[in-house]
Amino acid sequence: VAVILTLSVREDVAAGLGIIGGLLLLTGERPKAGVIVAIVGVGYAGLLKLVIMPHVSGAWSFLSMYQGLVPSGENSYGAMLKTVVGNPAFTVNTLADRDKLLYLLQILVPLAFIPLSRPLTILCCVPGFIFTLLSTGYAPLYQISFQYTAHWTTYLFIAVVMAIAWIGRREVDTSAATVRQRAATITLALASLIASHQYGALMQQNTVRGGFGVYQFGTTAADRARREALYALIAQIPPRAKVAGTETVVPQISHRPDAYTARIGIFDADYLLFMMPAGGEEGRNIATGLSSGNYGVVEVKEPYGLAKKGYSTAANASVLTRVRGY
């Protein structure tokens, strides 16, 4: 049941089953189950990454996150793997990045580097290495303010438990084993405590980041006014209508059958729901929709706007200026 639920999350999470299966096999805990879990997880992830996603999504199959490892003239995960395996020196060179080193320290220092204490527990670093450190330019993959840290923490906590248990097994003297285990546990606790103070939200709230920005704790009057404005616009959208929204808006409409992230495209959306100004790809896509004459602005409630397919374009010009920010 747990394997099936894991497969339903994401293709890269499914690949992590290969690590779980490998641990079950190499520790001798449940070798047959380990082989099956590893094959199912890695095979499922490979099928999605190498076949289904490129076929269905085309260029948008997250390959851009690793574009620097893709040989010129090719455009597939298979090509990226050829670089990783066939040109390890070049691959290692992509890891020589200050931000990646800082990220790795932020992951491992709170754990006192305990997951690196034996070869078997180093195996638990493989998902993080593949899915975050191999990125060649997509910074969120190696910033602790994003969800991609789960490619490390999910497995490193297993590694910590295994490493501390191993300390107890390798010592012939039971009392010495207890002392070493306690020392490792206390070191782990102190390192985590210090790192939590520096980057966490419990002991201080000045440095906590969420996504690209500093996280704001609490709710202000301006926050409530902005929320009311957004939900007043959402109330005007029929329940089954297809909506394309800007990045911070989409989570509020994600329960709909069809809710698109404007950063990727507006596709066949019936409505555009956007924050002003809108930057990057999402801003360009919203601006393209409004400029095309296919969508007309229905209403603006600062700092949000709502446009509908086939609606009058009388208000589009002024809103376009707001969307672009100039």
Side-chain angles (χ1 to χ4, degrees), residues 23-306:
L23 292 176
L24 290 173
L25 172 64
L26 296 174
T27 59
E29 186 73 25
R30 293 187 62 188
K32 291 182 180 179
V35 170
I36 295 172
V37 168
I39 291 175
V40 169
V42 174
Y44 181 82
L47 178 65
L48 283 175
K49 279 284 191 186
L50 302 178
V51 181
I52 296 177
M53 288 175 65
H55 175 72
V56 174
S57 305
W60 186 255
S61 56
F62 302 101
L63 183 61
S64 59
M65 298 176 177
Y66 311 95
Q67 198 62 50
L69 293 173
V70 179
S72 178
E74 299 193 53
N75 191 36
S76 69
Y77 280 101
M80 183 198 79
L81 292 176
K82 282 196 298 184
T83 300
V84 172
V85 176
N87 195 345
F90 178 80
T91 302
V92 170
N93 188 56
T94 65
L95 302 177
D97 182 276
R98 175 187 175 278
D99 291 337
K100 290 181 180 180
L101 174 60
L102 175 61
Y103 175 74
L104 194 58
L105 290 173
Q106 288 174 321
I107 294 291
L108 292 175
V109 167
L111 301 178
F113 296 95
I114 290 175
L116 304 184
S117 61
R118 60 179 305 210
L120 190 58
T121 53
I122 292 177
L123 179 65
C124 295
C125 297
V126 172
F129 174 81
I130 293 175
F131 293 116
T132 66
L133 295 184
L134 285 182
S135 172
T136 56
Y138 187 65
L141 282 176
Y142 43 88
Q143 293 178 358
I144 62 169
S145 54
F146 287 86
Q147 73 274 17
Y148 303 106
T149 53
H151 289 306
W152 292 92
T153 55
T154 303
Y155 312 98
L156 291 186
F157 286 127
I158 298 174
V160 166
V161 173
M162 290 178 61
I164 293 178
W166 175 69
I167 292 173
R169 288 196 296 269
R170 73 174 182 174
E171 293 287 346
V172 178
D173 185 347
T174 305
S175 60
T178 301
V179 169
R180 287 180 177 273
Q181 285 181 316
R182 286 177 179 173
T185 304
I186 292 171
T187 303
L188 173 68
L190 290 175
S192 296
L193 188 66
I194 294 170
S196 293
H197 178 271
Q198 293 299 101
Y199 300 105
L202 296 180
M203 288 173 277
Q204 56 85 25
Q205 300 178 342
N206 303 314
T207 63
V208 184
R209 299 181 65 84
F212 291 105
V214 176
Y215 186 79
Q216 175 190 316
F217 290 86
T219 303
T220 65
D223 293 332
R224 294 189 181 90
R226 192 167 58 247
R227 185 181 303 157
E228 289 174 5
L230 176 60
Y231 275 86
L233 294 179
I234 292 176
Q236 299 181 45
I237 306 174
R240 307 291 293 186
K242 300 176 181 179
V243 188
T246 47
E247 200 86 331
T248 57
V249 169
V250 171
Q252 314 304 321
I253 55 172
S254 60
H255 62 287
R256 291 172 171 269
D258 298 280
Y260 309 131
T261 300
R263 179 167 56 89
I264 303 173
I266 59 177
F267 305 104
D268 58 343
D270 302 309
Y271 288 83
L272 306 179
L273 184 62
F274 48 91
M275 189 173 187
M276 301 177 290
E281 289 297 326
E282 64 179 12
R284 283 188 282 273
N285 289 331
I286 294 294
T288 298
L290 295 176
S291 301
S292 68
N294 295 329
Y295 296 88
V297 174
V298 176
E299 188 176 0
V300 170
K301 284 187 174 293
E302 298 294 344
Y304 303 103
L306 176 67

